[in-house]
Amino acid sequence: MSTATRTDSLITAVSLTILTGTHRGQTITALGPRFLIGSGPQCQLKITSPGIATVHAALLLDGYTVRVRDMGCLGGTKVNGEIVTGDRWLAPGDHIELGHTLIQINYPK
């Protein structure tokens, strides 16, 4: 488990670059405090590819840290190749894997 990455300025949004999957090449701004990722209509980032649950994961921005929360889906969520159980703090450049979709997260340090 990585430790929290705190910044000197408030984090209110993060940049998500989709590296693989059906939305490859797109960059999306995720606004906090909670940003849902999945195939369902309630998600701010909708990914409709195999292995993606209706609500697969949530990004949580508390102003100083960014976390990803696996929402208990069968396919699971990985950060930098490691399975997430519960919440996992994210640092700029980390990779989130959801099914066949790989996303890189970035925000100012």
Side-chain angles (χ1 to χ4, degrees):
M1 181 98 149
S2 75
T3 59
T5 301
R6 293 185 65 91
T7 67
D8 292 331
S9 59
L10 287 178
I11 304 167
T12 58
V14 295
S15 174
L16 306 175
T17 302
I18 302 175
L19 303 174
T20 63
T22 55
H23 300 288
R24 184 173 68 107
Q26 293 183 20
T27 298
I28 294 134
T29 300
L31 301 173
R34 184 174 173 170
F35 184 88
L36 299 177
I37 303 171
S39 62
Q42 67 273 47
C43 295
Q44 288 85 11
L45 174 55
K46 292 175 188 63
I47 302 173
T48 54
S49 65
I52 301 296
T54 304
V55 179
H56 198 105
L59 291 178
L60 307 169
L61 290 72
D62 68 8
Y64 297 98
T65 64
V66 180
R67 294 174 289 139
V68 64
R69 176 177 293 161
D70 179 72
M71 301 303 281
C73 58
L74 287 176
T77 301
K78 295 180 182 177
V79 173
N80 301 327
E82 296 179 10
I83 295 175
V84 173
T85 55
D87 289 7
R88 166 82 184 258
W89 283 284
L90 298 172
D94 279 349
H95 292 116
I96 303 168
E97 186 177 341
L98 312 151
H100 299 291
T101 302
L102 186 65
I103 302 169
Q104 182 176 26
I105 186 163
N106 282 295
Y107 59 91
K109 291 184 180 184

